[in-house]
Amino acid sequence: MAVFSEAMSSSRCVFTYFSRNYKHTVLHPCTIVRNAHSAISDNCENYDIIVTGGGLVGTTLACALANNKTLESKSVLLLEGGNKHKYEPSERYSNRVVALNQQSRTLLSSIGAWRHVEEVRYTPVRKMQVWDACSDAMITFNEDYLNNEIAYIVENDLLLHAVDKQLSEKDSVKVVYNAKVENISLPETPGENSAVILQNGGNFESKLLIGADGINSRVRQAMGVQHVKWNYDQMGIVGTVELSEPTENIVAWQRFLPTGPVALLPLTDTLSSLVWSTTTVEAKKLLKMSDEDFVDRLNDALWKVYPKDGFVESGMKALQQILETLSLQTGVSRQLQPSISGVVENSRAAFPLGFGHSVYYAKPGVALVGDAAHRVHPLGGQGLNLGLGDVTVLVKMLAESVRNGATLGDMSYLKKYETSRQRHNVPTMLAMDALHRLYKGTAAPIVLARSLGLQLTNAISPLKRAMVHHASDDDNNICQ
Ligand SMILES: Cc1cc2nc3c(=O)[nH]c(=O)nc-3n(C[C@H](O)[C@H](O)[C@H](O)COP(=O)(O)OP(=O)(O)OC[C@H]3O[C@@H](n4cnc5c(N)ncnc54)[C@H](O)[C@@H]3O)c2cc1C
């Protein structure tokens, strides 16, 4: 059955209707004459919502919009600058993985994409151990804090494939690949449409434009919002590594070194995925060296004993005594980290790391989601989770606006989205940035302060539980 979408109010020239898997655009024989969009030609297509950027966040957003009962009749266009992503199941693990929190999994389940992940593979994380190379301080998390698994390790390409597959079943969404957005004109007065022009000349209009186009977002630039950013002069080295001994691999490990954190995420009983943040100079050297040398350096990063400072040691001992007197946890649940025996051939790669935050996520008729709005250090595994949290809240707010008879892009609802997400994202991002800075320091007072903080947090269960719940984005509901 065909579903007709409203003609756009401002151009009034295009009628769009959908039949199963096809979107038909019929041009009215009128000519569009509009000053603000003078570059728009008369073959402009109209949509209710345009999403630019078909990465993990943009694709999930398009799918969640189509899945929402209130929004399912809205026509959605997803513009992706790159080629259509092709996924071939392979025994070899991809070197790019993400640790998804419970809220992200719930969102992916609610839109029907998680079952496609389950059909292939993912690894649950049941325990996390984070420790400091410069002292004996450590913190552990286990499933008890969530009554569920702590996280799920999924390969990025499998995840994108899963959401893509689900999206292909949605009639109301059209996806265009090799559609690099070149020019954007945003509404000058509320209620006007946004116009998008592609590098290849294609042009489109919508009531609501959503930028999911990553860290160099064109939509964010068109909004002219202030973007606070800095580089860490660090790179994240990723790779697939082989464990020295097969084990029930359910623990995510992270050790803070003065050069940056090294993390191992479980894949199978014999394989883990590596995310090793280090200085750019060091990262470049690590990428160039032989597999054998790389493995030696990695084992050093995981095991090397750093000289302990007497001042830090006595401070930590004093804390331990206090914790024992109060019958609080003193770190007895410490587990030994694995050793690495090899790195899967050609699995090493490195990505520059930085921080970025857009001061506003919305303006009338336009909103930002995912890395377009915020970029965070990977040490907490939060980047995509924050982006998927944006998706959940934005879809909820748009559905509310439609139910209340407001237009898509109504600023009062977009503002609610922005406020809700910034309340969650900003503290998370600042905490990640503060951790990065705190663990770079090697001066004894800094090491002592962070070690006491880590050990105390480990000992106080309600504090730990609150941390896990915040990281899991439990304050947001799913977008049905
Ligand atoms: C080493 C490393 C490890 C990480 N680990 C984790 C983790 O464990 N957990 C976690 O939650 N996050 C993690 N992240 C972060 C996570 O990968 C990102 O936050 C997430 O992938 C961002 O998704 P996105 O869709 O917002 O942006 P992107 O993936 O950048 O997608 C943007 C899309 O927009 C398209 N695009 C760009 N410009 C245009 C244009 N002009 N026109 C049309 N299309 C355009 C691009 O082609 C791209 O497909 C990690 C990041 C790194 C670097």
Side-chain angles (χ1 to χ4, degrees):
M1 206 169 94
V3 180
F4 288 84
S5 132
E6 256 173 76
M8 299 301 293
S9 56
S10 53
S11 66
R12 288 177 289 271
C13 319
V14 180
F15 298 90
T16 307
Y17 68 97
F18 298 95
S19 57
R20 187 152 183 81
N21 288 328
Y22 292 96
K23 176 174 183 296
H24 309 265
T25 302
V26 183
L27 290 175
H28 191 279
C30 71
T31 310
I32 303 174
V33 182
R34 299 178 24 157
N35 294 339
H37 301 82
S38 52
I40 301 289
S41 67
D42 54 3
N43 61 350
C44 163
E45 286 183 31
N46 261 291
Y47 293 84
D48 292 313
I49 303 172
I50 295 178
V51 180
T52 66
L56 282 167
V57 175
T59 310
T60 306
L61 173 64
C63 203
L65 289 167
N67 197 60
N68 184 282
K69 295 269 173 292
T70 313
L71 301 169
E72 65 187 357
S73 63
K74 302 291 172 195
S75 58
V76 179
L77 174 68
L78 177 61
L79 296 172
E80 165 52 35
N83 291 328
K84 185 172 166 52
H85 166 255
K86 286 195 191 88
Y87 176 76
E88 293 291 341
S90 154
E91 216 175 289
R92 184 187 162 102
Y93 275 80
S94 161
N95 59 1
R96 287 303 311 269
V97 305
V98 278
L100 293 175
N101 64 21
Q102 280 298 338
Q103 191 65 31
S104 295
R105 180 187 159 156
T106 306
L107 169 66
L108 293 161
S109 296
S110 76
I111 61 169
W114 187 252
R115 65 195 160 99
H116 303 309
V117 172
E118 280 176 321
E119 279 163 15
V120 184
R121 62 193 175 195
Y122 69 93
T123 313
V125 176
R126 301 189 196 282
K127 191 177 168 193
M128 245 170 87
Q129 184 167 304
V130 179
W131 74 110
D132 188 342
C134 298
S135 76
D136 288 328
M138 61 135 216
I139 190 165
T140 58
F141 298 95
N142 58 38
E143 295 170 289
D144 303 347
Y145 290 92
L146 277 174
N147 301 321
N148 227 324
E149 285 101 351
I150 293 174
Y152 305 90
I153 309 302
V154 188
E155 293 150 282
N156 290 26
D157 59 354
L158 167 59
L159 192 54
L160 188 56
H161 159 76
V163 186
D164 262 348
K165 194 166 171 182
Q166 197 60 22
L167 187 62
S168 66
E169 292 173 15
K170 307 288 178 192
D171 294 346
S172 58
V173 182
K174 178 175 170 179
V175 188
V176 183
Y177 294 97
N178 298 309
K180 197 150 181 68
V181 174
E182 180 98 327
N183 280 310
I184 295 169
S185 109
L186 298 176
E188 279 168 8
T189 50
E192 264 192 357
N193 288 338
S194 291
V196 170
I197 302 177
L198 304 185
Q199 225 169 38
N200 65 15
N203 57 66
F204 309 90
E205 283 199 7
S206 67
K207 291 183 184 118
L208 175 63
L209 174 66
I210 305 175
D213 45 353
I215 56 175
N216 297 314
S217 169
R218 280 309 256 260
V219 176
R220 191 183 65 231
Q221 287 162 20
M223 286 166 76
V225 291
Q226 199 187 341
H227 185 234
V228 183
K229 61 172 185 174
W230 52 81
N231 285 324
Y232 288 121
D233 190 25
Q234 277 197 336
M235 294 186 100
I237 299 181
V238 297
T240 310
V241 295
E242 291 151 6
L243 307 181
S244 297
E245 283 177 28
T247 174
E248 192 200 3
N249 200 1
I250 51 165
V251 185
W253 308 91
Q254 180 151 273
R255 187 182 198 208
F256 279 98
L257 304 161
T259 43
V262 57
L264 293 176
L265 305 171
L267 294 176
T268 69
D269 288 355
T270 54
L271 294 175
S272 282
S273 186
L274 170 73
V275 185
W276 184 358
S277 307
T278 187
T279 60
T280 304
V281 175
E282 172 84 354
K284 286 182 178 163
K285 284 186 199 154
L286 286 166
L287 277 186
K288 278 192 197 139
M289 59 181 60
S290 69
D291 284 355
E292 292 72 21
D293 289 347
F294 179 78
V295 169
D296 286 347
R297 295 292 294 275
L298 177 55
N299 280 320
D300 254 9
L302 290 166
W303 285 95
K304 182 178 161 187
V305 180
Y306 283 75
K308 299 268 173 358
D309 186 285
F311 171 65
V312 176
E313 291 281 273
S314 48
M316 289 296 287
K317 234 180 232 146
L319 177 68
Q320 185 137 345
Q321 278 163 4
I322 296 169
L323 295 178
E324 273 165 10
T325 319
L326 297 173
S327 305
L328 289 170
Q329 234 183 349
T330 56
V332 279
S333 56
R334 182 173 203 136
Q335 234 180 293
L336 285 186
Q337 63 272 31
S339 294
I340 304 305
S341 61
V343 55
V344 171
E345 214 183 338
N346 296 325
S347 71
R348 270 180 281 163
F351 299 87
L353 305 180
F355 176 101
H357 189 255
S358 177
V359 172
Y360 297 105
Y361 292 4
K363 283 206 162 176
V366 57
L368 298 172
V369 289
D371 276 18
H374 41 72
R375 178 189 186 197
V376 65
H377 196 290
L379 66 87
Q382 286 298 308
L384 180 61
N385 288 310
L386 295 183
L388 296 181
D390 298 345
V391 169
T392 301
V393 177
L394 182 58
V395 171
K396 202 166 131 188
M397 289 306 156
L398 294 178
E400 199 180 307
S401 74
V402 169
R403 272 197 302 274
N404 293 341
T407 54
L408 283 169
D410 183 314
M411 195 51 196
S412 53
Y413 293 90
L414 293 182
K415 200 77 201 159
K416 280 195 203 172
Y417 155 71
E418 179 184 274
T419 306
S420 161
R421 286 317 289 163
Q422 291 198 343
R423 272 191 193 143
H424 180 85
N425 295 348
V426 174
T428 309
M429 295 177 71
L430 292 179
M432 297 304 125
D433 187 64
L435 280 176
H436 160 74
R437 288 169 199 281
L438 193 62
Y439 278 91
K440 257 186 4 183
T442 50
I446 294 175
V447 175
L448 178 62
R450 74 187 183 215
S451 302
L452 294 176
L454 197 65
Q455 210 63 19
L456 259 178
T457 312
N458 191 50
I460 302 171
S461 295
L463 201 57
K464 256 165 93 170
R465 195 164 281 122
M467 274 173 72
V468 174
H469 280 278
H470 182 83
S472 213
D473 210 351
D474 269 1
D475 31 344
N476 292 313
N477 297 320
I478 58 165
C479 46
Q480 277 296 349

